[in-house]
């Protein structure tokens, strides 16, 4: 068997030459596209009596065209005879661990380019004040140190043997000891993005230097902002890579225990990143909304540590009796503007100048009910009834509301009354025949009730409309929201859908057995420092009512 030093030499030649020819942004796009192609192949290619193609085919798909390197294709591995002795399942597990290592090398390469090409460029830096440098680059030096330590330990592990013993124990150690730096960085991205836009607009020298740097060949046409968002993309992707290992590792083994612990710790970090960033943007949003409100009678405090905006927008309110004669003889609808928070609804009217909103009524979200007015003719198309069981005057009241489209009506109904039964059941009901889709084009949420999804994400469908929208629940984290149908493809194979659910359930069950002890231990060992380079904001609870 080829010794470990030959293997590491070849691996580093692979990761630092062939693989690191990919910047991390390219790796991420390529990897996600190949996940989509694998699923398409499994949807369309069968062997024998309807059975899914064997794993070898899935691996071969990743080794064609613009593909990433495979562990099984390394010369040292092929010459060792390992492939004839290992089970197909173990080979797949080796590939999953190998991808985690090589993708970390690609990520570190992109961080180095961010530092050397942008941060160390004298023309760019001299055009900035110290505070602007701090806003733009935040604690990226700490992020780089964390990645360098992590990659070094991964390299040492694979030096030990051609057959990779484990990587999740290393992931867990670094997640507990070093990855808290991601939380600080991601929380400050709210200010990073705003200040970048401001500096571009105000600072001619910076703008010219940035344009010149972005046009250089080594950047491969990628924008500066694509480098700034790398840390959050990486910590999120790392969780999915560990999740992929957890799906493939043998049950009731030390490797499974390590994968569970690593996944739990990464999930905690990603959650803290998300919640920290949301708190910043949500509080700013509440402050902005409150400045535009004018209360007609009873004032309602909008800013609260436990409140955030779910949906806002204009709808039409039907006025007058519901008779055909009235509908034909007078203006039936008048515009009103709704602000729906997680625990409060404000019904308002936009002022003549469009800058202020007069509050007409309010109600606790828990006291809202909706009724869909289906098949009531063209005049009542896209209409639903909103019932306030107890409004600001402590009495019940109903509003007949009209939206601009079928999807907008359903989105309002789902937001106003979230506990209503959806057309399709949640993944928690374990229905293998429920529809699933896979994202084929990344989508950034434009409204609070929408869900940002990335290529290759698999989602369980809860609602769909005839005018091109779906509400889905992402399998790997349970996040819900709306997105356009054009960015997803339906998963046709019932076997693939069933396997997706089995893997999801396995992760949930595996984590359930270890959750308490692992998190308590990790928190006891870690002193998270999330110093913000910004004003102190109100703390917010993320518990939905």
């Amino acid at each position: 068997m080829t010794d470990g030093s030959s293997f590491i030499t070849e691996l580093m030649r692979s990761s630092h030459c062939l693989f690191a020819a990919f910047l991390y942004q390219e790796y991420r796009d390529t990897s996600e596209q190949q996940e989509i192609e694998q699923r398409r192949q499994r949807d369309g290619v069968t062997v024998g009596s309807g059975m899914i193609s064997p794993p070898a085919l899935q691996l071969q798909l990743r080794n064609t065209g613009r593909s990433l390197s495979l562990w099984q294709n390394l010369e040292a591995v092929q010459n060792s005879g390992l492939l004839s002795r290992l089970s197909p399942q173990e080979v797949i597990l080796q590939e999953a661990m190998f991808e985690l290592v090589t993708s970390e090398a690609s990520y570190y390469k992109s961080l180095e380019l961010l530092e050397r090409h942008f941060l160390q460029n004298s023309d760019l830096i001299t055009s900035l004040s110290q505070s602007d440098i701090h806003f733009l680059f935040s604690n990226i030096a700490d992020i780089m140190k964390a990645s360098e330590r992590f990659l070094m330990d991964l390299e040492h592990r694979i030096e030990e043997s051609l057959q990779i013993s484990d990587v999740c124990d290393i992931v867990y150690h670094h997640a507990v000891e070093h990855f808290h730096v991601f939380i600080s960085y991601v929380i400050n991205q709210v200010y990073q993005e705003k200040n970048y836009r401001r500096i571009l607009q105000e600072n001619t020298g910076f703008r010219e230097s940035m344009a010149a740097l972005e046009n250089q060949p080594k950047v491969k046409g990628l924008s500066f902002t694509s480098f700034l968002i790398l840390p959050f993309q990486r910590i999120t992707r790392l969780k999915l890579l560990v999740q992929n290992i957890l799906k493939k590792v043998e049950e009731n083994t030390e490797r499974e225990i390590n994968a569970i612990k690593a996944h739990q710790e990464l999930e905690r970090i990603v959650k803290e990143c998300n919640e920290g960033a949301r708190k910043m943007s949500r509080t700013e949003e509440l402050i902005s909304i409150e400045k535009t409100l004018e209360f007609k009678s009873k004032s309602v405090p909008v800013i609260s540590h436990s409140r955030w905006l779910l949906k806002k927008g204009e709808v039409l309110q039907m006025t007058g009796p519901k008779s055909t004669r009235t509908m034909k003889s007078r203006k039936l609808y008048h515009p009103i503007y709704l602000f729906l928070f997680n625990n409060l609804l404000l019904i308002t009217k936009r002022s003549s100048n469009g800058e202020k909103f007069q509050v007409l009524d309010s109600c606790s979200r828990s006291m809202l009910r909706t009724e869909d007015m289906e098949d009531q003719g063209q005049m009542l198309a896209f209409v639903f009834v909103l019932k306030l069981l107890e409004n600001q005057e402590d009495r019940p009241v109903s509003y007949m509301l009209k939206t601009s489209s079928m999807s907008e009506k359903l989105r309002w109904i789902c937001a106003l009354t979230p506990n209503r039964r959806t057309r399709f059941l949640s993944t928690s009901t374990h229905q293998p025949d429920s529809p699933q889709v896979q994202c084929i084009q990344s989508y950034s949420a434009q409204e609070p009730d929408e869900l940002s999804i990335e290529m290759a994400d698999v989602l369980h469908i809860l609602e769909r409309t005839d005018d091109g929208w779906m509400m889905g629940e992402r399998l790997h984290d349970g996040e819900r929201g709306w997105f356009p149908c054009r960015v997803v493809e339906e998963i046709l194979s019932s076997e693939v859908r069933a396997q997706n659910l089995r893997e999801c359930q396995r992760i949930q069950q595996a984590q359930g057995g270890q959750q308490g002890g692992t998190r308590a231990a990790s928190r006891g060992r870690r002193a998270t420092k999330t110093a913000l380079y910004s004003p102190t904001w109100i703390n917010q609870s993320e518990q939905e009512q």
Side-chain angles (χ1 to χ4, degrees):
M1 179 181 291
T2 307
D3 62 25
S5 61
S6 300
F7 175 56
I8 190 63
T9 299
E10 184 175 358
L11 173 60
M12 289 302 101
R13 184 169 65 248
S14 168
S15 62
H16 289 305
C17 295
L18 187 155
F19 196 91
F22 291 96
L23 290 172
Y24 185 72
Q25 296 94 319
E26 297 173 298
Y27 149 74
R28 192 165 170 268
D29 289 345
T30 303
S31 178
E32 289 167 351
Q33 187 60 50
Q34 288 172 351
E35 286 181 42
I36 294 168
E37 293 304 323
Q38 288 177 39
R39 191 267 310 158
R40 285 173 175 166
Q41 188 79 359
R42 295 177 67 193
D43 261 350
V45 177
T46 56
V47 177
S49 57
M51 295 298 290
I52 298 299
S53 302
L57 174 60
Q58 300 169 35
L59 293 176
Q60 290 164 11
L61 286 170
R62 296 183 53 189
N63 200 35
T64 58
R66 182 179 166 80
S67 63
L68 308 179
S69 55
L70 289 173
W71 173 83
Q72 64 178 308
N73 287 345
L74 294 175
E75 184 179 355
V77 173
Q78 292 184 338
N79 292 339
S80 69
L82 265 177
L83 295 176
S84 63
R85 297 194 298 272
L86 296 180
S87 67
Q89 189 63 28
E90 179 63 26
V91 172
I92 293 173
L93 179 57
Q94 290 292 309
E95 298 291 359
M97 293 189 289
F98 181 75
E99 182 179 358
L100 188 147
V101 178
T102 52
S103 64
E104 187 65 27
S106 178
Y107 166 64
Y108 186 69
K109 174 184 170 65
S110 287
L111 287 182
E112 282 188 316
L113 188 57
L114 172 61
E115 180 187 48
R116 295 174 182 176
H117 188 64
F118 294 101
L119 182 55
Q120 294 180 2
N121 181 270
S122 58
D123 291 338
L124 187 74
I125 295 305
T126 54
S127 71
L128 294 170
S129 66
Q130 284 300 313
S131 60
D132 283 344
I133 293 172
H134 203 50
F135 272 126
L136 282 184
F137 295 99
S138 190
N139 62 328
I140 196 67
D142 296 332
I143 296 285
M144 287 197 65
K145 289 177 184 176
S147 178
E148 186 175 17
R149 284 190 295 257
F150 182 43
L151 183 59
M152 187 177 298
D153 282 353
L154 291 173
E155 291 174 353
H156 288 162
R157 172 58 55 82
I158 58 178
E159 284 177 350
E160 296 171 0
S161 172
L162 282 173
Q163 183 176 350
I164 306 170
S165 60
D166 198 0
V167 293
C168 289
D169 56 334
I170 297 173
V171 175
Y172 174 68
H173 168 76
H174 282 264
V176 170
E177 298 295 337
H178 306 299
F179 286 176
H180 59 272
V181 296
F182 284 94
I183 301 172
S184 303
Y185 187 90
V186 173
I187 288 176
N188 284 286
Q189 276 191 288
V190 175
Y191 297 96
Q192 187 182 61
E193 294 164 6
K194 286 185 177 180
N195 279 278
Y196 178 62
R197 291 193 297 268
R198 173 186 60 78
I199 296 166
L200 271 182
Q201 186 175 0
E202 298 174 356
N203 190 327
T204 304
F206 174 82
R207 186 168 60 250
E208 292 174 351
S209 296
M210 181 58 69
L213 290 172
E214 287 184 329
N215 285 331
Q216 291 190 18
K218 66 174 67 176
V219 181
K220 300 186 178 181
L222 296 166
S223 68
F224 174 62
T225 54
S226 76
F227 289 88
L228 292 182
I229 63 174
L230 283 173
F232 183 54
Q233 289 181 336
R234 181 54 183 170
I235 196 68
T236 304
R237 182 69 180 175
L238 193 57
K239 188 192 86 166
L240 296 181
L241 291 171
V242 170
Q243 191 175 92
N244 193 39
I245 293 171
L246 179 55
K247 292 174 185 176
K248 296 169 172 53
V249 78
E250 317 93 314
E251 295 186 28
N252 303 315
T253 63
E254 185 177 0
R255 289 200 294 193
E256 183 190 44
I257 293 171
N258 290 335
I260 292 170
K261 289 165 62 179
H263 185 267
Q264 286 178 346
E265 189 63 19
L266 289 171
E267 191 172 58
R268 180 194 62 76
I269 292 171
V270 171
K271 185 177 179 180
E272 284 196 35
C273 287
N274 282 325
E275 290 181 352
R278 284 171 182 165
K279 286 176 184 179
M280 290 296 179
S281 57
R282 285 171 173 175
T283 303
E284 288 193 328
E285 190 171 42
L286 289 179
I287 293 171
S288 176
I289 290 172
E290 188 175 60
K291 291 177 179 177
T292 67
L293 298 178
E294 296 176 339
F295 290 88
K296 185 177 178 181
S297 55
K298 185 178 179 182
S299 178
V300 179
V302 172
I303 299 177
S304 167
H305 71 281
S306 59
R307 178 170 295 148
W308 59 90
L309 183 72
L310 293 180
K311 189 170 177 61
K312 65 179 180 178
E314 187 173 271
V315 296
L316 298 175
Q317 179 192 1
M318 190 187 90
T319 56
K322 305 176 189 176
S323 68
T324 304
R325 184 180 303 171
T326 302
M327 291 180 181
K328 292 179 179 178
S329 63
R330 59 174 292 183
K331 185 177 181 181
L332 184 61
Y333 296 107
H334 296 279
I336 60 173
Y337 201 95
L338 305 183
F339 290 94
L340 178 65
F341 304 95
N342 62 306
N343 54 11
L344 174 71
L345 171 68
L346 296 180
I347 300 175
T348 75
K349 178 181 178 181
R350 194 191 291 266
S351 64
S352 57
N353 64 10
E355 296 178 357
K356 297 285 186 179
F357 297 89
Q358 185 183 46
V359 179
L360 307 175
D361 208 348
S362 63
C363 181
S364 169
R365 188 181 179 216
S366 62
M367 301 296 284
L368 300 176
R369 300 294 184 270
T370 56
E371 179 184 345
D372 195 353
M373 302 290 289
E374 291 183 301
D375 303 322
Q376 298 293 318
Q378 185 60 38
M379 187 62 70
L380 294 179
F382 316 143
V383 171
F384 68 98
V385 175
L386 173 62
K387 300 177 181 180
L388 281 58
L389 301 184
E390 189 176 290
N391 73 347
Q392 63 184 17
E393 297 175 356
D394 300 324
R395 62 183 181 86
V397 63
S398 294
Y399 294 85
M400 183 170 282
L401 304 177
K402 181 181 178 69
T403 64
S404 59
S405 66
M406 179 61 71
S407 59
E408 191 63 16
K409 179 183 78 169
L410 191 55
R411 286 170 65 168
W412 271 114
I413 290 175
C414 290
L416 290 161
T417 49
N419 294 325
R420 63 180 286 279
R421 184 181 179 88
T422 55
R423 183 184 305 189
F424 307 107
L425 299 177
S426 169
T427 52
S428 60
T429 60
H430 308 319
Q431 298 294 322
D433 291 332
S434 297
Q436 295 175 13
V437 294
Q438 185 174 45
C439 178
I440 58 170
Q441 177 185 334
S442 296
Y443 177 75
S444 296
Q446 305 298 307
E447 299 288 341
D449 65 335
E450 294 178 9
L451 180 66
S452 293
I453 54 178
E454 299 290 342
M455 283 177 59
D457 279 353
V458 175
L459 302 106
H460 178 86
I461 299 306
L462 301 173
E463 287 283 5
R464 62 172 46 155
T465 68
D466 295 334
D467 55 353
W469 285 85
M470 291 180 173
M471 181 171 74
E473 179 181 86
R474 188 162 44 216
L475 260 62
H476 75 73
D477 63 6
E479 291 284 324
R480 293 185 179 189
W482 290 88
F483 48 86
C485 297
R486 60 179 169 78
V487 302
V488 298
E489 283 182 353
E490 188 158 0
I491 297 176
L492 303 176
S493 167
S494 59
E495 287 293 329
V496 174
R497 294 196 301 270
Q499 180 177 335
N500 288 338
L501 282 182
R502 285 195 300 270
E503 291 176 345
C504 180
Q505 291 162 24
R506 182 188 172 186
I507 290 170
Q508 292 171 351
Q509 291 166 1
Q511 289 190 149
Q514 295 227 352
Q515 199 162 6
T518 301
R519 290 188 177 177
S522 67
R523 284 173 182 163
R525 294 174 57 193
R526 179 183 46 85
T528 302
K529 297 179 181 179
T530 56
L532 306 181
Y533 314 116
S534 54
T536 302
W537 297 97
I538 301 170
N539 290 324
Q540 286 179 272
S541 165
E542 296 295 319
Q543 284 295 318
E544 296 246 10
Q545 288 196 348

